[in-house]
Amino acid sequence: MNDCDALLREVMAEAAKLKIPFSDRIDPKVRINCRAATRFGCCIYKEGRYLIEVAQRVAEGPERSCRETLAHELLHTCYGCRNHGKRWKSYVEKMNRAYGYAISRSSTSEEMGVGEARPFRYLVRCQRCGMIFKRFRASKLTEHPERYRCKCGGRLVCQECSKDGKADREKDCFKM
């Protein structure tokens, strides 16, 4: 397991060398999330402080992947960088150029070298545009997709998946 607290301090020093204005209100203790299935990290702003969290599989994975995840989340503490907008991207580009990182908005488990992602249990699909929403647990959306619409206005249908995450059968989604 990587020492995420020490790696965070190192990443902070690297960002400081590049004069990247990250917050000075970051909890020095990185929280390890044992339940995270779809994300590698998270930057939480609460009560005027930032808490950085990484998925357990990232903490146990290659050091480089852990560093890049910590850097990604650290950059969200910069003013105007809560999203993945222009300012955040400019800081990412600085870090990537200076340290050979491959920080990006999103990545795959294979690219990160952190094992396979947990297979999802439901696929919710828009009948108009084909957009797919993957879900791991039953929810109001998976149980009653007829109550929701895609952003394009299309109707949604839900498919239950087999254990490997492949679509099995379409559920009777339009029960009234």
Side-chain angles (χ1 to χ4, degrees), residues 59-174:
E60 293 173 346
E63 182 182 311
R64 182 166 192 84
S65 295
C66 192
R67 274 181 181 280
E68 289 175 357
T69 301
L70 290 168
H72 175 121
E73 302 309 333
L74 174 72
L75 295 177
H76 282 307
T77 72
C78 299
Y79 176 79
C81 293
R82 293 294 295 150
N83 58 20
H84 298 112
K86 283 183 180 179
R87 183 174 294 175
W88 182 85
K89 287 177 184 171
S90 72
Y91 295 145
V92 164
E93 186 55 38
K94 271 185 171 182
M95 297 278 294
N96 286 346
R97 239 189 346 263
Y99 302 112
Y101 288 156
I103 304 166
S104 65
R105 187 185 151 284
S106 64
S107 192
T108 66
S109 298
E110 293 79 26
E111 291 169 341
M112 298 279 288
V114 294
E116 292 185 23
R118 185 178 97 193
F120 48 87
R121 226 176 117 201
Y122 301 93
L123 273 180
V124 179
R125 183 177 41 84
C126 175
Q127 291 182 311
R128 181 185 288 172
C129 71
M131 176 78 118
I132 292 176
F133 308 90
K134 299 173 182 177
R135 295 293 182 263
F136 293 94
R137 288 179 265 176
S139 65
K140 290 178 182 179
L141 174 64
T142 63
E143 296 298 320
H144 297 284
E146 73 278 3
R147 295 179 184 167
Y148 301 89
R149 292 282 183 265
C150 179
K151 64 182 173 186
C152 77
R155 289 184 175 272
L156 301 175
V157 293
C158 180
Q159 293 176 297
E160 197 161 350
C161 300
S162 60
K163 292 195 190 265
D164 64 359
K166 295 202 168 57
D168 249 358
R169 60 185 172 82
E170 195 163 302
K171 291 170 63 178
D172 180 9
C173 292
F174 296 100

Side-chain angles (χ1 to χ4, degrees), residues 31-51:
R31 183 163 64 186
I32 308 299
N33 185 329
C34 302
R35 296 180 57 203
T38 59
R39 67 180 182 209
F40 300 122
C42 184
C43 178
I44 301 162
Y45 183 73
K46 188 175 179 181
E47 298 172 3
R49 296 194 58 78
Y50 291 96
L51 173 66

